[in-house]
Amino acid sequence: MDDLLLRPGGPADVPAVLRLLDDATAWLVARGHTGQWGSEPASTDPRRIAQADGWGSGGGLWLAQVDERPVGALVVGTANDYVPPATEPELYVNLLVTDRAYAGSGIGGRLLAHAADLARQCGVTLLRVDCYAGDDGALVRWYERQGFTPTDRFTLDRPGHPPWPGQLLTRHP
C-alpha cells in the first residue's frame, strides 16, 4: 500500500486502538473463533480499556493509517510476564492488530518490519512476539511467514474463561 503512513501514537489514539480491537473481535466471532479475544468488544471491558490506556501513554504505540484513518496498530516494549525471559536484549511486540477491511494488503507485515527497524535502532538483536495458538493455528503460521520462528508454547489460565493457548515466536531483525 503506497498510501500507508506509519506514525507514533499517543493517548488520543486509544479510541482508534479500541475500535481496531472491537472490529477484529467481531470478525473473529463471526467466524466462530472466540478463543483469541473472547466475544465481547474490548471497548466495553475495563481491563482492556486500561490496557489500551497504558499503550497510549507508554511510548511504544505506532499506528498505520490511510487517509487519516487508523488501519493498524503496533505496540512494542517489554515482554509480557507470562513468557520466559529473553536470553539477549530484545524488543517485544505487545500488540499487532489491523483493520479487517484491509485484510491481505500487507499492513501487519509493514508494522512488523517497522518493529524490526525500531529494534535495530535500539541496538537489540531480538524481536519477540506471542500470539494465540488455538483453533487451526493460522495466526502462528502467519507470524512464521513474517520471518518469526516458534519457540515456547504456553497456556494461560484465565479465571472465568477457558485456558488460552499461546505461542512465543522470535525473529532476528
Side-chain angles (χ1 to χ4, degrees):
M1 294 188 63
D2 294 335
D3 55 347
L4 187 71
L5 170 73
L6 300 183
R7 67 166 178 83
D13 296 305
V14 168
V17 172
L18 289 169
R19 178 192 55 82
L20 287 165
L21 288 168
D22 287 352
D23 291 350
T25 300
W27 183 84
L28 288 166
V29 168
R31 283 148 186 78
H33 298 288
T34 58
Q36 182 173 347
W37 286 337
S39 59
E40 300 302 316
S43 61
T44 63
D45 180 344
R47 184 187 67 81
R48 296 291 279 173
I49 294 167
Q51 187 177 44
D53 285 339
W55 292 330
S57 62
L61 173 62
W62 290 84
L63 292 176
Q65 62 184 46
V66 174
D67 297 328
E68 307 281 326
R69 177 179 170 80
V71 295
L74 166 76
V75 177
V76 294
T78 59
N80 295 313
D81 61 0
Y82 53 79
V83 297
T87 58
E88 60 187 280
E90 73 171 340
L91 188 63
Y92 201 88
V93 176
N94 301 105
L95 173 72
L96 180 67
V97 61
T98 61
D99 188 325
R100 299 311 307 160
Y102 291 84
S105 61
I107 294 169
R110 288 273 303 275
L111 285 166
L112 288 175
H114 184 66
D117 289 343
L118 292 170
R120 284 189 294 275
Q121 290 169 17
C122 294
V124 299
T125 58
L126 182 64
L127 187 63
R128 292 197 307 165
V129 64
D130 69 78
C131 72
Y132 180 68
D135 295 324
D136 59 3
L139 189 54
V140 173
R141 289 192 304 278
W142 183 85
Y143 277 105
E144 288 178 305
R145 289 192 303 275
Q146 304 308 308
F148 284 84
T149 300
T151 58
D152 300 286
R153 288 196 61 120
F154 59 92
T155 300
L156 290 179
D157 291 320
R158 305 174 303 157
H161 300 282
W164 192 86
Q167 176 70 59
L168 182 64
L169 301 104
T170 63
R171 174 177 160 185
H172 289 86

